[in-house]
């Protein structure tokens, strides 16, 4: 069997979504429907940015039995962090939760997905890093993206870094997909401009990689083309953060997630994972840094990407991999080459013939 022939051929999308300015107001009635079915608490994972932001917290309408766990997005999800949240919840909950809510960017939404799955499946986070290892439906889950681009609200994975093995890989499973998403673009009005650009570019890059890969299908291609179309409208516009553009980018993020749920990324993400694992860089800025070296592989996206960065006046860091120790280059190589599926999608099954240790290091040095 071809390595790319996996469960993504039979695709599960998010079951329900609601959208528009003010859509967050629908959250409590959606959770109330779950409370009729299960008497346990709702568990809210909320980006720590909202800890200071009372207006939004009030809209969550927390009951006294509910839990709120603030997630510091400075640290992307690790298997250890997920396990420690889980240990606490497993030992302190006396009833099954009625819902898990993830309100924030990719880090928060992915944390909520992982915890939801592990609340109904035994073991630890690392036991499920891979494809279709989750056996039971997780707790009913709702996503409320407050950043646009990663598509975590739509995908069938939740990316986690395993610091012990160096593996950055999620729980790819139908059970990882959210049951409900609330897309309220009023929530992205206060995102810092640079972060808005870096995160938005994740959607753009996912679809560039998917459309250039060997594993293609008509639905994935259609999702990808419309995502790129919306990203171009947003990032070639002078005011990328207008109300209309924030709504478009939220849709692009969702469609980009749907695209990647039926296909695979390519070269950018494995290199980006190397930067995250070894240098601790955030996923979205790491992708943008990798774009510095992508001219030979994705020439038209390369020039379009730099045009958009120029129009938006966003600076992408440079030269971060030029003077590292030899053991760091070794770790960068290992953390990149491990991503068998995306690299096969981009370069074919013999990708190691081209991506030798020297070649991988040369690409890192050119960023
Ligand atoms: Zn990504």
């Amino acid at each position: 069997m071809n390595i790319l022939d996996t469960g993504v051929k039979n695709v599960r999308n998010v079951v329900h979504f609601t959208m528009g300015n003010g859509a967050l107001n629908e959250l409590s009635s959606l959770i109330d429907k779950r409370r009729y079915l299960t008497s346990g608490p709702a568990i809210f994972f909320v980006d720590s940015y909202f800890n200071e932001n009372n207006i939004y917290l009030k809209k969550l309408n927390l009951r006294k039995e509910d839990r709120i766990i603030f997630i510091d997005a400075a640290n992307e999800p690790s298997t250890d962090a997920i396990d420690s949240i889980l240990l606490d919840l497993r030992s302190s909950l006396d009833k099954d939760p009625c819902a898990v809510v993830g309100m924030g960017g990719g880090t928060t939404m992915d944390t909520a997905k992982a915890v939801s799955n592990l609340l109904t499946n035994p073991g630890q986070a690392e036991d499920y890093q891979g494809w279709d290892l989750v056996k039971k439906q997780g707790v009913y889950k709702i996503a409320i993206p407050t950043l646009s681009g990663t598509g975590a609200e739509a995908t069938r994975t939740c990316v986690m870094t395993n610091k012990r093995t160096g593996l950055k890989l999620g729980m790819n499973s139908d059970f990882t997909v959210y049951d409900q998403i609330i897309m309220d673009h009023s929530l992205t009005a206060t995102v810092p401009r640079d972060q808005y650009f870096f995160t938005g570019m994740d959607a753009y890059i996912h679809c560039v990689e998917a459309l250039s890969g060997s594993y293609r299908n008509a639905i994935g291609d259609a999702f990808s083309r419309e995502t790129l179309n919306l990203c171009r409208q947003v990032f070639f516009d002078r005011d990328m953060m207008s109300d209309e553009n924030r709504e478009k980018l939220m849709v692009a993020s969702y469609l980009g997630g749907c695209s990647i749920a039926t296909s695979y990324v390519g070269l950018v993400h494995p290199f980006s994972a190397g930067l995250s694992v070894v240098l601790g860089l955030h996923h979205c800025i790491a992708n943008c840094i990798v774009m510095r070296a992508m001219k030979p592989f994705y020439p038209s996206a390369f020039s379009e990407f730099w045009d958009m960065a120029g129009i938006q006046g966003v600076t992408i860091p440079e030269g971060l991999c030029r003077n590292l120790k030899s053991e760091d280059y070794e770790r960068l190589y290992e953390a990149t080459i491990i991503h068998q599926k995306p690299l096969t999608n981009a370069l074919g099954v013999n990708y190691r013939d081209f991506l030798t240790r020297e070649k991988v290091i040369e690409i890192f040095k050119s960023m």
Side-chain angles (χ1 to χ4, degrees), residues 149-150 202-203 205-206 209 265 269 283-284 287:
T150 68
D202 198 17
I205 292 169
H206 285 153
E209 290 175 285
V265 286
H269 275 70
H283 176 61
C284 299
N287 285 344

Side-chain angles (χ1 to χ4, degrees), residues 221-240:
D221 285 2
F223 280 132
S224 293
R225 283 194 302 268
E226 183 55 17
T227 305
L228 292 180
N229 177 24
L230 289 166
C231 287
R232 287 175 185 130
Q233 290 177 38
V234 171
F235 293 109
F236 281 117
D237 195 277
R238 296 247 155 253
D239 184 5
M240 65 176 178

Side-chain angles (χ1 to χ4, degrees), residues 343-358:
L343 294 172
T344 303
N345 187 38
L347 301 170
V349 282
N350 298 322
Y351 67 86
R352 282 174 185 268
D353 295 349
F354 173 74
L355 282 185
T356 59
R357 183 175 264 97
E358 295 66 40

